[in-house]
Each structure stands twice: as C-alpha cells, then as structure tokens.
Amino acid sequence: MALTSDPNTRNSHALALLRVGVGIFFLIFGQYKVFGTAFTLHGGFQFWINKFLEGGTYPFMAPVLRGFVLPHATSIAFLVAYGELAIGLALVLGILVRSASFFGLIFMLTMLFSSDYPGAGAPFWQYFGASLSHSVFALCFAVFLIGRADSVWSVEALRKNRPKGNGDANQ
C-alpha cells in the first residue's frame, strides 16, 4: 500500500491501523478467557476483583465490587470474556465499530475505577500515571466513537466499495 499525500486518506489509514491494533489486543485479551476456563470458571475473575479490593480500587467502587460483582462473578466473568472477544472481532473486522467502541469505553472506565486508584494522598498527576493501562485504551475508544475508524480496512468499507452488478445474475 502506497501512502498518498492526501491528509484525509493518511488519517483514515492511521485511524484504521490504530483500530486494528486495539482490536488485536482485545482478541488476545478475550481469547484465553473464552477458550480456557481459568478466568471464567476457576476463580480467575474473582482473584482480580479481590486484588483490586485489596488496594487498587477507587473508594466508590468497593461497594459495587463487593455487593454486586463478586456475588455475580461467574456471569460477569463470562460477560467480560465474550465482551472482550466481541470488541476485538468488531474492531479488527471493522463491523459495528462505534457500538464496540462505546462498550469498550464503558469497560475501560469500569476497569480504571476498579483497579487504578493510586491512594487518597497521591498527588493529582499520579492518578493519570496509575491509569495508563486503561486510560490509553479509553482514549482510543473515544476516538473510534468520534471518528470514522471504519472508513478503510473494514468489512463496511468493502461492502460500500463493492461494484454493483448488472441486475441479472445469469449474465
């Protein structure tokens, strides 16, 4: 693929590259959870929630994690596993990118508030440093929501650019 000097084309390709890259990460995150049972059925999800509760969760999230998430841990673990896989597939293929990005953004904000708390006495800037693992993905999802991340290298773009037939399939 040759890069053109047209800024719109270059931006579309850069956004698509970022979309596919984030999608690959989410495929990796989701595939081991879906195709294995350690996370969903054998306590992996509960391990992480308890680890967050030991010192990494924002104070307003602790009652949610204890009172709702842990009592429904298996169901939520499956939702997380299949959700990550679905987000990854949607982004890589360029299908329902905005919907996947909306749910990805909600998921990343949930993860950020569940696990990235630097502590009550931390300087303001440390809140951002502690959240890098989730805030960068949240920003990517926000960009995919705002922009046209599916305009190239996507099933949607292939469908739009497909040549129209003559109308008679027998010719």
Side-chain angles (χ1 to χ4, degrees):
M1 174 193 91
L3 287 178
T4 67
S5 60
D6 177 25
N8 289 331
T9 302
R10 290 179 70 139
N11 287 341
S12 294
H13 285 96
L15 192 55
L17 180 65
L18 182 62
R19 184 199 81 226
V20 171
V22 170
I24 289 170
F25 277 115
F26 272 77
L27 283 174
I28 293 167
F29 298 157
Q31 65 81 26
Y32 82 89
K33 294 171 184 156
V34 168
F35 299 117
T37 59
F39 182 81
T40 53
L41 295 175
H42 295 105
F45 179 76
Q46 292 90 327
F47 168 81
W48 284 106
I49 298 301
N50 284 313
K51 187 172 175 96
F52 298 160
L53 286 167
E54 287 173 12
T57 189
Y58 278 75
F60 66 88
M61 283 299 288
V64 175
L65 295 175
R66 281 190 189 96
F68 180 76
V69 174
L70 282 175
H72 302 96
T74 302
S75 300
I76 295 173
F78 276 100
L79 180 64
V80 167
Y82 282 92
E84 286 179 349
L85 191 67
I87 289 168
L89 281 171
L91 294 180
V92 167
L93 298 175
I95 301 170
L96 299 171
V97 171
R98 284 200 169 114
S99 297
S101 297
F102 173 78
F103 288 108
L105 178 60
I106 298 299
F107 180 53
M108 286 299 102
L109 291 175
T110 303
M111 291 296 296
L112 187 148
F113 292 126
S114 295
S115 65
D116 295 335
Y117 185 58
F124 184 67
W125 64 268
Q126 284 185 351
Y127 286 84
F128 296 100
S131 74
L132 280 177
S133 60
H134 298 110
S135 61
V136 171
F137 280 120
L139 286 171
C140 290
F141 287 127
V143 168
F144 301 154
L145 273 168
I146 295 166
R148 290 295 322 227
D150 61 349
S151 66
V152 295
W153 301 341
S154 68
V155 170
E156 184 67 22
L158 289 172
R159 193 177 62 78
K160 285 182 180 176
N161 295 331
R162 185 176 56 203
K164 305 274 190 245
N166 301 30
D168 186 2
N170 294 327
Q171 291 182 351

